[in-house]
Amino acid sequence: MQNILLGLVIVTASVTSSGQTVPVNDSKTPVEWVSPLMGTDSDYHVSNGNVYPAIAMPWGMNFWTPQTGGMGDGWAYTYNATKIKGFKQTHQPSPWMNDYGQFSIMPITGELRFKEEDRQSWFSHKAETVTPYYYSVYLADHNVTTEITPTERAALFRFTFPKTDEAYIVVDAFDNGSYIKIIPEENKIIGYTTKNSGGVPQNFKNYFVIVFDKSFTTSSAFNGDALVKEIELKANHTGAVIGFKTRQGEQVNAKVASSFISFEQAEINLKEIGNNSFDQLKEKGKSVWNENLGRIVPEGGTAAQTTTFYSCLYRSMLFPRKFYEYDANGNVMHYSPYNGNILPGHMYTDTGFWDTFRSLFPFLNLVFPEQNSEIQAGLANAYKESGWLPEWASPGLRDIMVGNNSASVVADAYLKIGSDNQYDINTLYEAVIHGANNAGPLKAVGRAGAEQYIQLGYVPYDVVNESAARTLEYAYDDFAIYQLAKALKRPKKEIALYKKRSQNYKNLFDPSHNLMRGKMQNGEFMKPFDPIRWGEGFTEGNSWHYSWSVFHDIQGLIDLMGGKETFVKQLDSVFAMPPVFNNSFNGGFIHEMREMQVANMGQYAHGNQPIQHMIYLYNHGSEPWKAQYWVRETMNRLYTPNPDGYCGDEDNGQTSAWYVFSAMGFYPVTPATDQYVLGAPLFKKITINLKNNKQIIINAPKNSVVNRYIKSLKLNGKEYTKNWLSHTELIKGAVLDFEMDEIPNKNRGINKEDLPYSLTNE
């Protein structure tokens, strides 16, 4: 990694309210550009990200967040809230999945109050500092400032109190089964919480330990709504209140750690803090974030673009989270969220492959291959412990979404990083084959409708719900297996089988509409068919969104549609149509409908994942300038560095990784191949510092608001006309020189040899 670039980002222009640019020369370090509040202005009805400010280390086991929502509310922090109820350790991947293993800490003054509604305090964003490695807020009703700085499995709190004889800290272990014990002689509170939203074994617990640097003058436990004299309590809803007298401005520190294994392991995890003071730990956290964010250095954009970029990069480095710990001897171990045992080895969780196979995992393979190597090792352990690969893990198997996209995640990783990293690819191959041919214990594990898919070549509409979505994704997943099987030199018959099955998308193509359509078990298309009707055979979308889900064989789709001209017109129609929808199948609105509607980009529903690659398909249709136009439109219109900065659910880094890739100028349309498809870069220069100490340097000095089109491109000094880039070539180190223009170059990237990969062209 090139350290000379770390921490220096030159922003040469900033947009004023008049739309003009003014010179800026700012040398902030990368983490100072991140806004964890981007995307927090969301609610149940419309998502502008549906995220909370995660105060955490990259891929950390535990996150912390200020809690404005009530106990159990998936919207733990919303930007328009006015009161904070506590500071919560959270493992929540999204409000729809909700949380597990959570507990909270809240300082108060005055009358002793411990219930959420009683202890909450007004706050203002004007008195709130939010970074990935440090959080601070002034609690107005208590005249207390709370600060947090985290490690991967621990955190250090600093509370600044006024002069009072009534200073308290409330530790809430939450309901659905919890335990608390106050140990005054050690200035310590220990406890566990079992609160979860599913996906855990019966013995699940999150054990926590909190050590204060000030002696308690009072201590009490609470049981539900009642304060009790006991200092040790096990009940449905427990918590503790400890109190002390404080001087004006006195700072009370609390070391906090937790473990999914035991109290003893929580004590070991507490050692991550060491002897560091609050400020020392804060600086170490800042350094970790700068080192990781410094892998990509954008230059020459506006302040808004730079903040958006780094905020998206931060979100791309949170999930899947580490679910492993180190024992007293430094050995890696984990509590299994699948069988409840304590086992050696790595484990990661909290990601849904339906979302993240598309760009988040390809991003890791390019920029953080060492991280994904650990994740792959964890996936092998997940299979050994559950008998299945998780499609949505939080922390164990969850029954949500469709597809069998673990195949893509495994294949893309091995094809790009497998030969350089040690993990059990043979077990993972066994796992993907098992998942591809069997229905699992949950609909979202293995393949629902696997028997019919194998027999008929599609999942029947009248047998399994969301059948068209499943068929299209299974066909792509079979392609990923085909690619992996080739790389592993599996028998030719096996390779041919998955290649053949990857063509199953053709079974749902309806030539009368030039769209995909659900099909009945008897071979007839389902009726009636309305392409803008959400649901039915599709997942969180309609046929206009899902018909492009032929990631691996766009030329085959072009042929089905009757050629490039018809194909491109069909792409154009996505943007030309009004953002209308038929919600009769759902019986009401789902938030994804509203997000498409308000974005006003036709049927292009970027706020949800199925269509996010579609813009790049203009490259396959020999009209790459249209991809260049719409990629810039999407970045400009649907992403901002503000609390409403996303256009739908951020979804564990997927929507953020889309922006990171697109700002760099290319995108992984077909994971499990060696190619990225070109869009156009957003910045005047981007440097990617690869793990192998090579660099990818992307120059586009004439980039501007109007210059969004590629006039020409040189790769390592040589003219380059193709609409794609090779991963293998890029990671050797590369220099890309883009000449940008305000006029589309309709003669570049139009020939057959310039087009991206399609299986049909093999």
Side-chain angles (χ1 to χ4, degrees):
M1 183 171 162
Q2 303 297 313
N3 291 325
I4 58 171
L5 288 171
L6 181 61
L8 182 61
V9 181
I10 305 300
V11 180
T12 59
S14 178
V15 179
T16 67
S17 58
S18 65
Q20 300 299 308
T21 57
V22 295
V24 172
N25 187 359
D26 200 321
S27 57
K28 289 181 182 179
T29 60
V31 75
E32 292 174 282
W33 286 106
V34 175
S35 174
L37 294 180
M38 177 177 163
T40 59
D41 183 12
S42 299
D43 60 34
Y44 179 87
H45 302 287
V46 175
S47 173
N48 293 306
N50 263 340
V51 297
Y52 52 86
I55 316 305
M57 288 295 97
W59 304 285
M61 188 176 89
N62 303 324
F63 298 172
W64 289 89
T65 192
Q67 180 191 347
T68 64
M71 181 175 60
D73 186 344
W75 283 263
Y77 177 99
T78 51
Y79 187 80
N80 60 3
T82 57
K83 294 181 181 179
I84 286 176
K85 296 176 170 63
F87 301 92
K88 187 170 82 158
Q89 188 191 91
T90 179
H91 305 95
Q92 178 173 293
S94 85
W96 309 108
M97 303 300 290
N98 216 300
D99 211 345
Y100 64 90
Q102 64 266 49
F103 63 94
S104 73
I105 301 171
M106 181 67 177
I108 65 170
T109 58
E111 180 185 354
L112 195 160
R113 292 152 285 169
F114 62 90
K115 292 186 285 187
E116 278 186 344
E117 296 303 314
D118 296 336
R119 73 189 187 224
Q120 66 182 341
S121 171
W122 280 81
F123 80 106
S124 168
H125 297 298
K126 299 179 183 67
E128 183 186 42
T129 301
V130 190
T131 76
Y133 63 91
Y134 169 73
Y135 179 84
S136 174
V137 70
Y138 176 66
L139 301 171
D141 289 326
H142 303 307
N143 192 21
V144 174
T145 296
T146 297
E147 300 170 275
I148 311 170
T149 191
T151 68
E152 287 187 348
R153 297 165 189 84
L156 190 53
F157 278 69
R158 184 165 66 186
F159 307 102
T160 303
F161 283 97
K163 184 180 185 301
T164 179
D165 293 342
E166 297 177 304
Y168 302 98
I169 292 177
V170 180
V171 177
D172 194 335
F174 285 20
D175 63 359
N176 290 347
S178 55
Y179 166 83
I180 205 81
K181 182 179 181 180
I182 305 168
I183 311 173
E185 63 272 20
E186 298 182 38
N187 301 337
K188 182 186 291 187
I189 298 173
I190 67 172
Y192 64 70
T193 173
T194 66
K195 188 175 181 65
N196 67 83
S197 302
V200 298
Q202 287 296 316
N203 66 346
F204 168 80
K205 292 182 178 70
N206 185 26
Y207 302 88
F208 60 83
V209 55
I210 308 171
V211 180
F212 297 87
D213 65 353
K214 185 176 177 66
S215 299
F216 312 157
T217 57
T218 65
S219 57
S220 305
F222 62 84
N223 183 347
D225 291 343
L227 205 64
V228 295
K229 292 183 179 179
E230 290 95 335
I231 59 172
E232 183 175 11
L233 186 64
K234 179 181 177 182
N236 177 61
H237 181 187
T238 69
V241 185
I242 53 100
F244 23 69
K245 297 178 181 179
T246 54
R247 304 181 307 275
Q248 178 62 37
E250 183 175 356
Q251 293 182 331
V252 177
N253 291 276
K255 295 180 178 180
V256 187
S258 70
S259 168
F260 295 107
I261 295 172
S262 66
F263 285 121
E264 293 76 17
Q265 183 63 42
E267 294 277 4
I268 294 171
N269 293 345
L270 197 65
K271 294 179 181 179
E272 289 185 350
I273 297 172
N275 295 319
N276 291 291
S277 69
F278 186 93
D279 290 329
Q280 288 172 330
L281 195 66
K282 173 183 169 184
E283 286 304 308
K284 286 188 174 184
K286 182 178 182 179
S287 178
V288 169
W289 272 108
N290 275 329
E291 181 180 355
N292 283 279
L293 291 165
R295 294 257 180 122
I296 309 179
V297 182
E299 300 178 55
T302 67
Q305 289 168 337
T306 306
T307 298
T308 302
F309 181 87
Y310 274 119
S311 299
C312 287
L313 187 54
Y314 149 78
R315 290 283 169 194
S316 302
M317 295 161 58
L318 293 174
F319 299 102
R321 77 169 73 251
K322 295 173 180 176
F323 203 75
Y324 64 85
E325 306 174 48
Y326 295 96
D327 68 13
N329 297 316
N331 299 312
V332 175
M333 59 193 298
H334 66 273
Y335 165 82
S336 172
Y338 301 102
N339 63 24
N341 295 326
I342 310 303
L343 297 165
H346 292 97
M347 181 63 63
Y348 281 74
T349 192
D350 290 330
T351 187
F353 294 153
W354 183 83
D355 303 293
T356 55
F357 86 86
R358 303 163 195 270
S359 66
L360 187 278
F361 277 92
F363 162 78
L364 295 177
N365 290 330
L366 177 64
V367 184
F368 293 98
E370 75 281 17
Q371 202 68 48
N372 202 17
S373 180
E374 275 195 8
I375 294 168
Q376 297 300 312
L379 281 175
N381 288 331
Y383 173 66
K384 292 172 186 176
E385 294 161 27
S386 73
W388 302 89
L389 286 176
E391 301 298 334
W392 229 121
S394 180
L397 303 176
R398 298 288 289 272
D399 198 13
I400 186 169
M401 306 313 293
V402 303
N404 179 221
N405 300 306
S406 55
S408 176
V409 171
V410 169
D412 194 52
Y414 185 75
L415 291 166
K416 289 174 179 170
I417 67 172
S419 58
D420 298 324
N421 292 273
Q422 297 299 314
Y423 58 84
D424 190 352
I425 186 58
N426 292 321
T427 292
L428 286 174
Y429 184 76
E430 175 188 315
V432 298
I433 294 298
H434 177 62
N437 293 284
N438 295 279
L442 307 171
K443 264 196 171 182
V445 177
R447 293 188 181 182
E451 181 181 354
Q452 294 85 356
Y453 176 80
I454 292 168
Q455 291 176 350
L456 302 174
Y458 62 93
V459 180
Y461 176 87
D462 50 343
V463 175
V464 181
N465 68 341
E466 300 169 283
S467 60
R470 295 181 195 275
T471 299
L472 293 169
E473 293 190 26
Y474 294 170
Y476 163 70
D477 298 327
D478 282 334
F479 167 79
I481 296 171
Y482 158 67
Q483 292 284 85
L484 182 57
K486 285 194 297 181
L488 294 175
K489 297 181 170 54
R490 300 294 300 177
K492 291 182 179 179
K493 185 177 180 181
E494 192 172 303
I495 294 170
L497 171 66
Y498 289 98
K499 181 178 183 180
K500 180 181 178 181
R501 278 170 44 168
S502 74
Q503 297 289 297
N504 282 344
Y505 71 89
K506 296 179 179 179
N507 294 328
L508 295 192
F509 183 76
D510 176 8
S512 67
H513 290 86
N514 263 345
L515 294 169
M516 297 295 176
R517 181 175 176 182
K519 187 174 280 188
M520 310 295 282
Q521 195 168 8
N522 65 8
E524 296 178 1
F525 283 117
M526 53 77 61
K527 298 176 183 178
F529 176 59
D530 182 354
I532 65 168
R533 191 182 191 201
W534 285 54
E536 290 191 319
F538 301 101
T539 303
E540 295 179 359
N542 62 35
S543 182
W544 278 105
H545 306 147
Y546 252 99
S547 291
W548 315 104
S549 293
V550 187
F551 312 93
H552 57 296
D553 195 15
I554 299 303
Q555 183 59 54
L557 182 61
I558 290 171
D559 294 343
L560 288 175
M561 288 188 176
K564 289 181 185 177
E565 183 178 349
T566 303
F567 174 77
V568 169
K569 284 182 179 178
Q570 199 79 330
L571 289 171
D572 291 342
S573 296
V574 171
F575 297 106
M577 293 174 67
V580 295
F581 50 82
N582 178 340
N583 66 342
S584 58
F585 182 82
N586 296 86
F589 291 98
I590 59 173
H591 70 97
E592 290 88 354
M593 296 173 183
R594 193 66 75 198
E595 289 142 18
M596 181 192 76
Q597 185 183 42
V598 299
N600 193 27
M601 290 180 70
Q603 290 292 312
Y604 183 66
H606 187 81
N608 209 19
Q609 281 67 40
I611 203 170
Q612 286 182 349
H613 68 294
M614 166 256 166
I615 289 173
Y616 287 91
L617 303 188
Y618 281 110
N619 285 281
H620 297 73
S622 296
E623 297 192 21
W625 55 92
K626 290 184 177 178
Q628 295 155 29
Y629 174 85
W630 284 113
V631 166
R632 184 69 66 88
E633 281 294 290
T634 302
M635 287 192 285
N636 286 351
R637 291 165 60 174
L638 302 186
Y639 291 80
T640 75
N642 303 316
D644 64 348
Y646 292 102
C647 57
D649 287 349
E650 194 281 325
D651 280 327
N652 311 115
Q654 164 58 30
T655 301
S656 290
W658 185 96
Y659 186 93
V660 171
F661 265 123
S662 295
M664 295 191 295
F666 51 91
Y667 185 80
V669 167
T670 315
T673 67
D674 188 58
Q675 291 187 6
Y676 304 102
V677 178
L678 280 177
L682 180 64
F683 293 88
K684 293 182 185 298
K685 182 179 181 181
I686 284 187
T687 303
I688 307 170
N689 298 300
L690 298 172
K691 180 63 177 174
N692 61 4
N693 293 317
K694 304 291 186 179
Q695 290 183 322
I696 304 169
I697 299 173
I698 302 162
N699 296 311
K702 294 182 181 179
N703 228 336
S704 69
V705 174
V706 294
N707 289 352
R708 65 173 65 181
Y709 298 105
I710 299 172
K711 184 176 182 180
S712 64
L713 169 61
K714 290 183 178 179
L715 174 60
N716 297 329
K718 297 181 180 179
E719 197 72 26
Y720 189 80
T721 63
K722 292 178 171 58
N723 293 338
W724 55 272
L725 300 167
S726 162
H727 173 87
T728 301
E729 294 303 313
L730 287 179
I731 62 172
K732 293 176 182 177
V735 178
L736 296 160
D737 291 302
F738 288 88
E739 184 176 0
M740 305 300 291
D741 201 350
E742 64 181 310
I743 301 171
N745 180 355
K746 297 185 178 182
N747 295 312
R748 186 195 171 279
I750 61 174
N751 297 318
K752 184 177 181 179
E753 59 269 22
D754 298 326
L755 307 185
Y757 173 87
S758 285
L759 180 62
T760 291
N761 294 331
E762 276 196 355

